[in-house]
Amino acid sequence: MNKVSFFALILGFALLATACKSGINSTTKNTSATAQDLLEARYKMLLDYPVDSMSMPRSMTIKTNDIKKVPSRDWTSGFFAGNLWQLYRLTGNAEYKKQAEKWTPFSKKESANKNSHDVGFKVYCSYGEALKVENKQEYKDVITKGAETLCTRFDAKVGAIRSWDFNKDIWDYPVIIDNMMNLELLFEATKLSGNKKYQDIAIQHANTTLKNQFREDNSCYHVIDYDPKTGAVRKKTTLQGYNDDSVWARGQGWAVYGFTMSYRYTKDPAYLKQAEATAQFFITDKNLPEDGIPYWDFRDPAIPNSARDVSAATVMASALYELYGYTKNKTYLAYADKVIATLESDKYILDPKINAPFIFDHSTGNWPKHDEIDEPIIYADYYFLEALLRRK
Ligand code: GLY
């Protein structure tokens, strides 16, 4: 008996009835009732996870049953609150909202943390999601404060926000493709405050990235190191990819998502063009598996015996729902729908016997560091839920 049927027997019709009543059911009507039950049960485990103001569940090593918990300074600290807000929007179940309200302040102090560019992920994925549900001044203030903090990392000579402060012996001014994601905080802060500075910096950052971060084939580099004295590119390199010239899957997702989102705020056709070109590269590459879930790096020589990365698929799926909205290109819709359909199966949903606050297994965090390989990771869930909302 496989995992799904085993689980369906245990849960029986009680859960099915709940699923039929929920908003989620209407977004996933093409899936079997058993996969739907399985998802509902995983969502419930997020609800049951106790609030801890010191650490947030980030990922899990299944073999040892260890949940990796992180403090607010970790780049992922906004996702748990974000998942709960999104589940509230999907289901209308007030329990998710109650829990989301308790978790949201977890990342609040990060709005003043100048130590990395990740203030966007930390603040916008929590407070940004909260603001979509409740129009509270407190949420707006945290977002604007976060944007002010992020701007302190901008250098006009380079024309970009500095990503990291570590590895100073190797890099002078590293800018990573992931940093495109943090621009949403800046664009939103301009909308909320009327202060154009945030948006101006976001546009300069996006333009510099557009100029230097992409290859001729429209895949992107992970890290560009700049010379802050001249603004010139020193090195095109990687930290999380297989090698400097490889194609780190999640990085491609960040690029497509980041430029699609930047197009949303600016309507600059150059951003749309890049998002489409990189999306095209991703969905037509020979190494993308049939089920749509990429290997962690498209150029890992071990393919097909290589780890997948569900998070890269969910980031890309969410981005492509938005990109489809601007272009009406059905291949984007087809890829995103395929990812959702693939994930809603017992192959990817975390084993129902595992009691942990995650939805999916099989993401890869940092392969070169041998860290979080083929595991449940929180941001895969976040972008999956966002994709469901966008599909709706
Ligand atoms: N932003 C870090 C990562 O994608 O792993």
Side-chain angles (χ1 to χ4, degrees):
M1 190 180 287
N2 69 18
K3 278 186 279 174
V4 167
S5 39
F6 167 79
F7 192 67
L9 269 179
I10 293 175
L11 281 183
F13 292 107
L15 262 177
L16 182 60
T18 316
C20 288
K21 271 188 255 155
S22 80
I24 289 172
N25 194 51
S26 66
T27 70
T28 54
K29 56 181 178 296
N30 294 330
T31 65
S32 70
T34 50
Q36 188 64 52
D37 294 345
L38 199 44
L39 271 174
E40 295 275 339
R42 299 280 1 144
Y43 297 156
K44 174 90 176 29
M45 286 185 203
L46 271 66
L47 196 58
D48 290 344
Y49 194 74
V51 180
D52 178 345
S53 61
M54 301 301 286
S55 58
M56 186 218 64
R58 169 178 157 142
S59 59
M60 179 178 196
T61 305
I62 292 173
K63 253 194 242 148
T64 55
N65 208 27
D66 260 352
I67 293 180
K68 178 176 174 184
K69 297 175 192 166
V70 290
S72 69
R73 67 174 177 277
D74 189 85
W75 77 275
T76 63
S77 68
F79 289 121
F80 199 58
N83 286 348
L84 292 160
W85 284 116
Q86 295 194 106
L87 277 167
Y88 171 64
R89 286 170 64 208
L90 281 163
T91 63
N93 179 344
E95 290 302 311
Y96 289 114
K97 180 166 176 269
K98 247 199 254 166
Q99 196 74 349
E101 279 165 346
K102 288 185 195 155
W103 271 103
T104 299
F106 182 74
S107 58
K108 183 174 182 175
K109 70 172 195 264
E110 296 307 312
S111 61
N113 182 350
K114 297 179 179 161
N115 292 335
S116 96
H117 68 141
D118 287 324
V119 56
F121 277 112
K122 293 186 264 195
V123 167
Y124 201 70
C125 297
S126 50
Y127 282 86
E129 290 303 328
L131 191 59
K132 286 176 193 161
V133 174
E134 289 180 319
N135 190 24
K136 279 195 184 165
Q137 191 56 42
E138 185 210 337
Y139 299 159
K140 295 179 189 174
D141 292 346
V142 175
I143 288 168
T144 309
K145 186 170 172 189
E148 200 58 49
T149 298
L150 187 53
C151 289
T152 64
R153 300 185 63 82
F154 177 75
D155 182 277
K157 189 87 190 166
V158 176
I161 295 161
R162 183 186 180 106
S163 295
W164 294 324
D165 293 342
F166 56 86
N167 279 358
K168 282 192 169 147
D169 50 330
I170 303 175
W171 303 314
D172 283 351
Y173 195 101
V175 177
I176 67 174
I177 191 64
D178 323 30
N179 206 337
M180 283 300 299
M181 300 297 285
N182 293 308
L183 304 187
E184 194 164 4
L185 179 76
L186 300 181
F187 285 123
E188 271 305 312
T190 288
K191 270 177 67 184
L192 293 174
S193 68
N195 186 343
K196 290 255 178 338
K197 175 178 92 171
Y198 310 128
Q199 168 147 340
D200 286 350
I201 285 180
I203 289 172
Q204 287 183 69
H205 183 97
N207 290 343
T208 302
T209 303
L210 191 61
K211 192 166 141 216
N212 298 319
Q213 205 108 16
F214 292 91
R215 306 184 178 103
E216 269 192 14
D217 64 6
N218 288 302
S219 68
C220 67
Y221 291 95
H222 182 206
V223 185
I224 305 294
D225 187 33
Y226 292 91
D227 180 342
K229 287 192 212 82
T230 62
V233 171
R234 287 186 66 235
K235 233 184 275 175
K236 300 192 175 197
T237 178
T238 195
L239 187 75
Q240 283 167 261
Y242 183 80
N243 63 30
D244 291 349
D245 300 319
S246 72
V247 181
W248 177 46
R250 195 164 56 256
Q252 313 311 304
W254 295 144
V256 175
Y257 191 118
F259 279 97
T260 305
M261 173 269 294
S262 298
Y263 176 76
R264 185 198 315 154
Y265 291 100
T266 62
K267 297 291 173 248
D268 185 333
Y271 298 165
L272 191 66
K273 193 169 163 214
Q274 188 61 62
E276 287 208 81
T278 304
Q280 193 62 19
F281 174 94
F282 188 102
I283 59 187
T284 59
D285 190 79
K286 63 180 185 347
N287 282 340
L288 181 68
E290 194 48 45
D291 70 0
I293 312 301
Y295 298 101
W296 71 278
D297 190 307
F298 281 80
R299 299 291 174 261
D300 179 358
I303 290 173
N305 301 312
S306 175
R308 302 286 191 102
D309 182 10
V310 165
S311 76
T314 59
V315 170
M316 188 59 88
S318 184
L320 290 196
Y321 279 128
E322 182 171 14
L323 192 56
Y324 169 72
Y326 303 134
T327 61
K328 301 296 171 218
N329 182 332
K330 289 218 166 71
T331 58
Y332 304 151
L333 193 59
Y335 175 77
D337 283 346
K338 183 200 276 192
V339 167
I340 301 299
T342 295
L343 291 180
E344 291 175 342
S345 75
D346 67 337
K347 191 170 165 205
Y348 286 99
I349 298 172
L350 183 57
D351 187 327
K353 294 191 286 303
I354 295 171
N355 186 0
F358 304 105
I359 304 169
F360 296 108
D361 198 353
H362 307 302
S363 287
T364 294
N366 193 332
W367 190 88
K369 232 175 112 187
H370 307 289
D371 191 21
E372 297 176 324
I373 297 177
D374 199 17
E375 291 188 352
I377 305 183
I378 192 156
Y379 43 85
D381 300 347
Y382 177 90
Y383 291 102
F384 169 78
L385 296 170
E386 185 181 71
L388 286 188
L389 282 162
R390 287 179 170 189
R391 182 168 75 168
K392 222 173 165 180

